[in-house]
Amino acid sequence: MIAELSERDNQILQAVIEEFIATAEPVGSRNLTKKYALGVSPATVRNVMADLEELGLLTQPHTSAGRQPTDLAYRYYVDHLMGSRGVRPDERRRLRRHLAGASRDDVEELLDTTCRALSSMAHLVGLVAAPRFEARVFRHIDFVLLRPGRVLVVLVSESGAVYHRPVDAPEVDDQARLDRMGEYLNHLLEGLPLSAVRDRILAEMESERAAVDALFHRALTLGDRALRSADRSGDSGVFVGDPGPLLEQPEFHSPDRLKGILETFEKKGLLIKLLDRACAEPGVQVVIGRENPSEDLQGCSVVVSNYGSGDRVLGSLGVIGPTRMPYPRVVALVDYTARLLGETLGPG
Amino acid sequence: MIAELSERDNQILQAVIEEFIATAEPVGSRNLTKKYALGVSPATVRNVMADLEELGLLTQPHTSAGRQPTDLAYRYYVDHLMGSRGVRPDERRRLRRHLAGASRDDVEELLDTTCRALSSMAHLVGLVAAPRFEARVFRHIDFVLLRPGRVLVVLVSESGAVYHRPVDAPEVDDQARLDRMGEYLNHLLEGLPLSAVRDRILAEMESERAAVDALFHRALTLGDRALRSADRSGDSGVFVGDPGPLLEQPEFHSPDRLKGILETFEKKGLLIKLLDRACAEPGVQVVIGRENPSEDLQGCSVVVSNYGSGDRVLGSLGVIGPTRMPYPRVVALVDYTARLLGETLGPG
DNA sequence: CCTGGCACTCCCAAAGAACGAGTGCCAAAG
DNA sequence: CTTTGGCACTCGTTCTTTGGGAGTGCCAGG
């Protein structure tokens, strides 16, 4: 497709897209020549536009209206036209100031703050996925007896994140025993990445089988069970920003539209799926309109990036908004925020 | 005011309110006589309506439109007219089924589920405030060394709720010492209500002053510091339902209106303030329109109740929606849900 | 191949007309 | 004195009409 477009086509396409992003109104040929120094007449622009429409890059909402970009055009724009810009110094400062309030040791607070910062800076809805469970490093485990047969497992990662989950533990009714079990596991698992913890437990169970220490065996079983259920505890761990800014965009004035999106925000599962895409590949990913998995997100784009320290991918963050969003600014912002969060979490 | 209204006035006022709640349209005299067996002619209804308008109970959006209730009228309706009805058996079943999915031991999950249930059943936005910190009973404390000088304090309540907070602890750099400190505190505080924990700690510090055991002293200090900061951790602990149902109400079709409300939902502080009203008095509280503290909540009513077990007030829950909401149904629902949640949390 | 001109299309906003729901008031009936 | 039916009037809503404007497509000339 790139080959098919001449320099002038590109120029006009870019102008149409950027004008539409700015105004939210279909763009006419006459108007375009006035605002952009294209060096050609409206008639020529019309011809080019007609070509671009044939290629599926532009549409007119009705005959004799201006043109507006299709999802395909946005894709092309993001991939080939917009280039990349940095984050303006004053924006950097604003972002840093936003994040300065959060403690480095309270991961939840930090992520929440980051999410709010993203929302406010992009004027879109921020999304932040907490570091993936397995990407973290074991620090401490603790068993608390809730009532006979029911134990709360509290797991702390190196960066200070806390997971907790009640699990069934028949025949356990003594906190002292639980304390010893915890002690044992703490020594066993010290410093292990959580991704390796379960394997370690299983391996230990294997070797421990001969030595019939019931206590240790039970500790291992309990640890295993807790981790198994912690794996699927992805429901939490997604932060979604204030949807307010969306309301200012004309594309969300229809209640139905809005309803769908707000409902999507509640279903955290889908958001996680969206954010997970970013974990797979490095750099900022842009998902545009129909490329989205959900019906309700038609007309929305998602800009995401993973974050981490060094080459360890921890989690991902991004924003969601109308397809008609200022991609260069947003992409730069997401990229920068991801780096910043990675750095903040890194050394811990 | 009650004395000033005759039986017929009451009847007509009630009819107007209920009709308006049902249709969201200003109610005309002719229409009213057709749908409700008032036994009087439209002209009479008009006269009564004019009186009610003079009393500030009804307004017309413009001359020659029907009447609609003012906030004052809703207040009067809630206090004197609507009576109280129970929750229909099928609704009870639905609610129970909703809540059945949540584990009794995972308080957060339980509250979240309750919030969703409220939203879905009332077709409004559910609100649930987690049990107040002080209302809980101490079960377990744990200190985890994050890095030298920085300690994560994990606190578990009897009902399985987990609080955690990083605190500064200069000169602490040894997990083993922290373990012993935790052990000491666990014994000291076992079974105490959290409201009494700090006093206990302070008392102990006093008596311990002579016996200069540095370890215990430091444990007490650390516990004190953690509790002090946990007190203000009320930011979290509020669950807000899906705002989707609001979009179906015509009063929220205006983006500005909606924006204000969504922003209010993000500011958890205000919601806590609203919910706290319920803690003060028993039974269901209704806050109508302008009675609300926030500008943005004009046109909204909040129905809240506290929940707890026995006479111990734990927290509060409720719903928020347009002033034009079916109060009898909603009040009954909130009441019943609060009882249910109280029972569920009670025995644990 | 670009350009200016021209006819045509279609949306949109304003203006007017018809409609209907509702009110207020009044005089007559109960 | 209260209730009621009648009647004139108000005012929002809806429908239609009309004109303007923005934009297009096409064509013929440079």
PDB file of all heavy atoms in Angstrom, chain A residues 213-230:
ATOM      1  N   ASP A 213       7.475 -35.723  56.873  1.00  0.00           N
ATOM      2  CA  ASP A 213       7.154 -34.675  57.829  1.00  0.00           C
ATOM      3  C   ASP A 213       5.839 -34.047  57.420  1.00  0.00           C
ATOM      4  O   ASP A 213       5.749 -33.276  56.470  1.00  0.00           O
ATOM      5  CB  ASP A 213       8.274 -33.623  57.853  1.00  0.00           C
ATOM      6  CG  ASP A 213       8.054 -32.660  59.001  1.00  0.00           C
ATOM      7  OD1 ASP A 213       6.890 -32.269  59.231  1.00  0.00           O
ATOM      8  OD2 ASP A 213       9.040 -32.307  59.653  1.00  0.00           O
ATOM      9  N   ALA A 214       4.835 -34.390  58.147  1.00  0.00           N
ATOM     10  CA  ALA A 214       3.486 -33.979  57.769  1.00  0.00           C
ATOM     11  C   ALA A 214       3.354 -32.453  57.717  1.00  0.00           C
ATOM     12  O   ALA A 214       2.678 -31.897  56.863  1.00  0.00           O
ATOM     13  CB  ALA A 214       2.468 -34.552  58.750  1.00  0.00           C
ATOM     14  N   LEU A 215       4.021 -31.805  58.611  1.00  0.00           N
ATOM     15  CA  LEU A 215       3.905 -30.358  58.701  1.00  0.00           C
ATOM     16  C   LEU A 215       4.412 -29.693  57.417  1.00  0.00           C
ATOM     17  O   LEU A 215       3.725 -28.878  56.805  1.00  0.00           O
ATOM     18  CB  LEU A 215       4.720 -29.840  59.893  1.00  0.00           C
ATOM     19  CG  LEU A 215       4.594 -28.348  60.141  1.00  0.00           C
ATOM     20  CD1 LEU A 215       3.263 -28.009  60.778  1.00  0.00           C
ATOM     21  CD2 LEU A 215       5.741 -27.846  61.001  1.00  0.00           C
ATOM     22  N   PHE A 216       5.598 -30.073  57.033  1.00  0.00           N
ATOM     23  CA  PHE A 216       6.185 -29.480  55.838  1.00  0.00           C
ATOM     24  C   PHE A 216       5.363 -29.819  54.607  1.00  0.00           C
ATOM     25  O   PHE A 216       5.128 -28.977  53.746  1.00  0.00           O
ATOM     26  CB  PHE A 216       7.622 -29.961  55.656  1.00  0.00           C
ATOM     27  CG  PHE A 216       8.553 -29.393  56.686  1.00  0.00           C
ATOM     28  CD1 PHE A 216       9.858 -29.860  56.818  1.00  0.00           C
ATOM     29  CD2 PHE A 216       8.125 -28.371  57.531  1.00  0.00           C
ATOM     30  CE1 PHE A 216      10.708 -29.321  57.758  1.00  0.00           C
ATOM     31  CE2 PHE A 216       8.980 -27.847  58.477  1.00  0.00           C
ATOM     32  CZ  PHE A 216      10.280 -28.324  58.601  1.00  0.00           C
ATOM     33  N   HIS A 217       4.936 -31.066  54.597  1.00  0.00           N
ATOM     34  CA  HIS A 217       4.133 -31.475  53.457  1.00  0.00           C
ATOM     35  C   HIS A 217       2.881 -30.599  53.346  1.00  0.00           C
ATOM     36  O   HIS A 217       2.507 -30.141  52.276  1.00  0.00           O
ATOM     37  CB  HIS A 217       3.724 -32.939  53.602  1.00  0.00           C
ATOM     38  CG  HIS A 217       2.957 -33.440  52.418  1.00  0.00           C
ATOM     39  ND1 HIS A 217       3.556 -33.713  51.212  1.00  0.00           N
ATOM     40  CD2 HIS A 217       1.632 -33.679  52.242  1.00  0.00           C
ATOM     41  CE1 HIS A 217       2.651 -34.115  50.353  1.00  0.00           C
ATOM     42  NE2 HIS A 217       1.460 -34.111  50.949  1.00  0.00           N
ATOM     43  N   ARG A 218       2.281 -30.384  54.497  1.00  0.00           N
ATOM     44  CA  ARG A 218       1.064 -29.584  54.483  1.00  0.00           C
ATOM     45  C   ARG A 218       1.360 -28.140  54.083  1.00  0.00           C
ATOM     46  O   ARG A 218       0.591 -27.510  53.370  1.00  0.00           O
ATOM     47  CB  ARG A 218       0.392 -29.624  55.860  1.00  0.00           C
ATOM     48  CG  ARG A 218      -1.062 -29.275  55.792  1.00  0.00           C
ATOM     49  CD  ARG A 218      -1.800 -29.716  57.026  1.00  0.00           C
ATOM     50  NE  ARG A 218      -1.981 -31.160  57.069  1.00  0.00           N
ATOM     51  CZ  ARG A 218      -2.185 -31.822  58.203  1.00  0.00           C
ATOM     52  NH1 ARG A 218      -2.189 -31.207  59.359  1.00  0.00           N
ATOM     53  NH2 ARG A 218      -2.361 -33.133  58.169  1.00  0.00           N
ATOM     54  N   ALA A 219       2.473 -27.642  54.515  1.00  0.00           N
ATOM     55  CA  ALA A 219       2.881 -26.290  54.143  1.00  0.00           C
ATOM     56  C   ALA A 219       2.996 -26.166  52.634  1.00  0.00           C
ATOM     57  O   ALA A 219       2.506 -25.214  52.024  1.00  0.00           O
ATOM     58  CB  ALA A 219       4.216 -25.945  54.801  1.00  0.00           C
ATOM     59  N   LEU A 220       3.623 -27.173  52.063  1.00  0.00           N
ATOM     60  CA  LEU A 220       3.808 -27.140  50.612  1.00  0.00           C
ATOM     61  C   LEU A 220       2.468 -27.202  49.895  1.00  0.00           C
ATOM     62  O   LEU A 220       2.211 -26.464  48.941  1.00  0.00           O
ATOM     63  CB  LEU A 220       4.691 -28.311  50.189  1.00  0.00           C
ATOM     64  CG  LEU A 220       6.143 -28.225  50.695  1.00  0.00           C
ATOM     65  CD1 LEU A 220       6.879 -29.527  50.447  1.00  0.00           C
ATOM     66  CD2 LEU A 220       6.868 -27.064  50.046  1.00  0.00           C
ATOM     67  N   THR A 221       1.619 -28.081  50.364  1.00  0.00           N
ATOM     68  CA  THR A 221       0.300 -28.201  49.748  1.00  0.00           C
ATOM     69  C   THR A 221      -0.446 -26.876  49.793  1.00  0.00           C
ATOM     70  O   THR A 221      -1.021 -26.421  48.810  1.00  0.00           O
ATOM     71  CB  THR A 221      -0.550 -29.248  50.498  1.00  0.00           C
ATOM     72  OG1 THR A 221       0.270 -30.398  50.737  1.00  0.00           O
ATOM     73  CG2 THR A 221      -1.768 -29.624  49.703  1.00  0.00           C
ATOM     74  N   LEU A 222      -0.396 -26.263  50.968  1.00  0.00           N
ATOM     75  CA  LEU A 222      -1.114 -25.007  51.162  1.00  0.00           C
ATOM     76  C   LEU A 222      -0.553 -23.925  50.243  1.00  0.00           C
ATOM     77  O   LEU A 222      -1.305 -23.175  49.606  1.00  0.00           O
ATOM     78  CB  LEU A 222      -0.959 -24.582  52.629  1.00  0.00           C
ATOM     79  CG  LEU A 222      -2.111 -23.811  53.249  1.00  0.00           C
ATOM     80  CD1 LEU A 222      -3.400 -24.570  53.049  1.00  0.00           C
ATOM     81  CD2 LEU A 222      -1.830 -23.602  54.731  1.00  0.00           C
ATOM     82  N   GLY A 223       0.758 -23.840  50.184  1.00  0.00           N
ATOM     83  CA  GLY A 223       1.403 -22.869  49.310  1.00  0.00           C
ATOM     84  C   GLY A 223       0.987 -23.084  47.870  1.00  0.00           C
ATOM     85  O   GLY A 223       0.612 -22.152  47.154  1.00  0.00           O
ATOM     86  N   ASP A 224       1.015 -24.319  47.477  1.00  0.00           N
ATOM     87  CA  ASP A 224       0.630 -24.652  46.111  1.00  0.00           C
ATOM     88  C   ASP A 224      -0.794 -24.214  45.824  1.00  0.00           C
ATOM     89  O   ASP A 224      -1.090 -23.584  44.809  1.00  0.00           O
ATOM     90  CB  ASP A 224       0.764 -26.162  45.902  1.00  0.00           C
ATOM     91  CG  ASP A 224       0.338 -26.572  44.514  1.00  0.00           C
ATOM     92  OD1 ASP A 224       0.842 -25.962  43.555  1.00  0.00           O
ATOM     93  OD2 ASP A 224      -0.516 -27.470  44.393  1.00  0.00           O
ATOM     94  N   ARG A 225      -1.662 -24.534  46.764  1.00  0.00           N
ATOM     95  CA  ARG A 225      -3.067 -24.206  46.551  1.00  0.00           C
ATOM     96  C   ARG A 225      -3.278 -22.692  46.446  1.00  0.00           C
ATOM     97  O   ARG A 225      -4.033 -22.208  45.617  1.00  0.00           O
ATOM     98  CB  ARG A 225      -3.915 -24.783  47.694  1.00  0.00           C
ATOM     99  CG  ARG A 225      -5.339 -25.043  47.284  1.00  0.00           C
ATOM    100  CD  ARG A 225      -6.086 -25.757  48.378  1.00  0.00           C
ATOM    101  NE  ARG A 225      -5.519 -27.060  48.666  1.00  0.00           N
ATOM    102  CZ  ARG A 225      -5.595 -27.653  49.857  1.00  0.00           C
ATOM    103  NH1 ARG A 225      -6.192 -27.051  50.858  1.00  0.00           N
ATOM    104  NH2 ARG A 225      -5.070 -28.841  50.037  1.00  0.00           N
ATOM    105  N   ALA A 226      -2.586 -21.973  47.301  1.00  0.00           N
ATOM    106  CA  ALA A 226      -2.731 -20.517  47.297  1.00  0.00           C
ATOM    107  C   ALA A 226      -2.260 -19.933  45.968  1.00  0.00           C
ATOM    108  O   ALA A 226      -2.907 -19.070  45.379  1.00  0.00           O
ATOM    109  CB  ALA A 226      -1.946 -19.908  48.445  1.00  0.00           C
ATOM    110  N   LEU A 227      -1.139 -20.430  45.496  1.00  0.00           N
ATOM    111  CA  LEU A 227      -0.590 -19.901  44.249  1.00  0.00           C
ATOM    112  C   LEU A 227      -1.482 -20.226  43.077  1.00  0.00           C
ATOM    113  O   LEU A 227      -1.656 -19.429  42.169  1.00  0.00           O
ATOM    114  CB  LEU A 227       0.806 -20.481  44.011  1.00  0.00           C
ATOM    115  CG  LEU A 227       1.860 -19.899  44.935  1.00  0.00           C
ATOM    116  CD1 LEU A 227       3.159 -20.669  44.800  1.00  0.00           C
ATOM    117  CD2 LEU A 227       2.081 -18.439  44.603  1.00  0.00           C
ATOM    118  N   ARG A 228      -2.035 -21.424  43.134  1.00  0.00           N
ATOM    119  CA  ARG A 228      -2.910 -21.814  42.048  1.00  0.00           C
ATOM    120  C   ARG A 228      -4.064 -20.824  41.916  1.00  0.00           C
ATOM    121  O   ARG A 228      -4.420 -20.403  40.833  1.00  0.00           O
ATOM    122  CB  ARG A 228      -3.462 -23.216  42.316  1.00  0.00           C
ATOM    123  CG  ARG A 228      -4.035 -23.872  41.096  1.00  0.00           C
ATOM    124  CD  ARG A 228      -4.600 -25.219  41.470  1.00  0.00           C
ATOM    125  NE  ARG A 228      -3.636 -26.009  42.237  1.00  0.00           N
ATOM    126  CZ  ARG A 228      -3.459 -27.317  42.066  1.00  0.00           C
ATOM    127  NH1 ARG A 228      -4.153 -27.954  41.159  1.00  0.00           N
ATOM    128  NH2 ARG A 228      -2.599 -27.979  42.816  1.00  0.00           N
ATOM    129  N   SER A 229      -4.644 -20.446  43.048  1.00  0.00           N
ATOM    130  CA  SER A 229      -5.793 -19.536  42.964  1.00  0.00           C
ATOM    131  C   SER A 229      -5.339 -18.091  42.776  1.00  0.00           C
ATOM    132  O   SER A 229      -6.079 -17.271  42.272  1.00  0.00           O
ATOM    133  CB  SER A 229      -6.664 -19.670  44.216  1.00  0.00           C
ATOM    134  OG  SER A 229      -5.921 -19.354  45.362  1.00  0.00           O
ATOM    135  N   ALA A 230      -4.107 -17.788  43.187  1.00  0.00           N
ATOM    136  CA  ALA A 230      -3.617 -16.430  42.997  1.00  0.00           C
ATOM    137  C   ALA A 230      -3.424 -16.133  41.522  1.00  0.00           C
ATOM    138  O   ALA A 230      -3.602 -15.012  41.060  1.00  0.00           O
ATOM    139  CB  ALA A 230      -2.306 -16.234  43.743  1.00  0.00           C
TER     140      ALA A 230
END
